[in-house]
Amino acid sequence: MIGLFDVLSFLRKKEPASGSVAKDRLKLVLVHDRANCSSQVLEMLKGDIIKVISNYMEIDEDELDINITQTRSEDNNGTVPVLYANIPIKSMKRKSS
Amino acid sequence: MGEVIVVTSGKGGVGKTTTSANIGCGLAVSGKKVALVDADIGLRNLDVVMGLENRIVYDLVDVVEGKCKLKQALIKDKRYAGLYLLPAAQTRDKDAVSPEQMKKLCENLKEEEFDYIIIDCPAGIEQGFKNAIAGADRALVVTTPEVSAVRDADRIIGLLEANELNDPSLILNRVRTDMVEKNEMMSMDDVTEILAVDIIGVVPDDESIVIQTNKGEPAVTVESSKAGQAFRNITRRIMGEEVPFMDLKEDDSFFTKLKKLFKK
């Protein structure tokens, strides 16, 4: 499946038309605007998540990626905002007790 | 009973004043009594777009402060029967007027038996915006098919609803059909899907708007103007008529046909 997709996109080669790019960018901007979630709030959230997870495992803080994006909702064909987090683990902490 | 319609956008330079002038003029030509109100205090422009800049004696702030009667400040447009302009003050700032005073002004204009009162809102979401929407019954949101303009329109729609101005109608301005066909510009469907509001008109990017604005005569009265035709359609839709979206619909169907052809 993935192989076929790669071949197809290779054959196409062309960048997507700017109209589609604009639409995608706009959708993402509005997800943030409507969620009323500023980058400061996101930074605070990021800090809290690091604090909590660090109690259990050692994570790579520099590579940590947290974002609000959107995904297709399961009920209908619309989209819903999701909190996306990619947190690379360096090592698991052993319980000291 | 007259209807107060505010023309707003959030972002500047998308065509609020041009839209206000054309809709006002279009309604007057259709036999309605119309008052165009320039709510952009400090940056008045509607007078110039209408070609009435040399006839201003009193302005909106004079009326609100009781320095003159409403009738004295209303400039009668001699070209179109039933069309009047209430100009903004040029040397004052937005704080010269309060939302309550604007509400009262709109009520007074309704008492003058205007069928439509069109308010040209300033750009932004501050005091001037709050003043302009205070007395409105209905809102038209103008945007262009650009990320920044649509984003601001989304914000404005949220603020209008927070102020109980529900179900605003969208005007998509400066559409380049040739670019939409190549998907190098967002289409009417793209924008309405994202904003989830009713669209009342699509205005093509048209040289005649520049030419007519240079002359101070709205394009809506120019038979051969495409943008003028779009504004005539919007005018009819405002009056409750159902008018199909001619121009772009045709292009759209042609475009989808073409796309289907390539997909096969």
Side-chain angles (χ1 to χ4, degrees), chain A residues 5-74:
Chain A
F5 181 76
D6 283 349
V7 170
L8 279 176
S9 58
F10 176 74
L11 280 176
R12 254 214 225 130
K13 227 175 180 179
K14 248 175 76 184
E15 279 177 30
S18 66
S20 311
V21 176
K23 195 178 173 187
D24 291 341
R25 288 178 59 216
L26 180 60
K27 277 184 178 171
L28 209 58
V29 167
L30 290 185
V31 166
H32 278 262
D33 286 359
R34 287 171 182 168
N36 209 359
C37 187
S38 64
S39 44
Q40 288 103 304
V41 172
L42 219 54
E43 273 309 304
M44 282 159 63
L45 178 66
K46 201 167 156 181
D48 285 352
I49 287 176
I50 291 172
K51 242 189 275 167
V52 170
I53 295 182
S54 299
N55 289 333
Y56 301 92
M57 52 194 79
E58 198 186 327
I59 57 175
D60 187 348
E61 290 185 22
D62 296 331
E63 290 298 307
L64 182 110
D65 179 24
I66 289 178
N67 236 317
I68 291 179
T69 133
Q70 52 185 1
T71 185
R72 247 170 220 297
S73 102
E74 285 171 13

Side-chain angles (χ1 to χ4, degrees), chain B residues 104-115:
Chain B
K104 187 85 182 64
L105 178 73
C106 291
E107 280 164 23
N108 292 343
L109 282 165
K110 281 180 180 175
E111 281 164 19
E112 295 291 328
E113 286 172 353
F114 283 104
D115 298 305

Side-chain angles (χ1 to χ4, degrees), chain A residues 17-20 23 29 33-34, chain B residues 151 154 183-184 190 193-194:
Chain A
S18 66
S20 311
K23 195 178 173 187
V29 167
D33 286 359
R34 287 171 182 168
Chain B
R151 180 196 202 176
D154 186 74
N183 195 15
E184 299 290 356
D190 290 338
E193 178 201 320
I194 287 169

Side-chain angles (χ1 to χ4, degrees), chain B residues 7-77:
Chain B
V7 179
T8 180
S9 72
K11 189 177 178 297
V14 296
K16 280 181 300 296
T17 304
T18 307
T19 300
S20 303
N22 277 285
I23 288 174
C25 189
L27 287 165
V29 169
S30 306
K32 302 289 178 188
K33 191 178 174 190
V34 182
L36 278 168
V37 179
D38 191 347
D40 201 347
I41 294 159
L43 290 168
R44 101 173 149 212
N45 274 325
L46 190 51
D47 54 332
V48 178
V49 174
M50 289 298 298
L52 297 170
E53 67 272 21
N54 294 325
R55 299 198 33 219
I56 298 174
V57 181
Y58 297 108
D59 58 48
L60 188 150
V61 177
D62 292 327
V63 175
V64 164
E65 290 179 347
K67 286 185 183 150
C68 71
K69 291 210 177 92
L70 179 55
K71 273 188 181 164
Q72 288 176 290
L74 284 166
I75 301 165
K76 185 173 165 40
D77 193 321

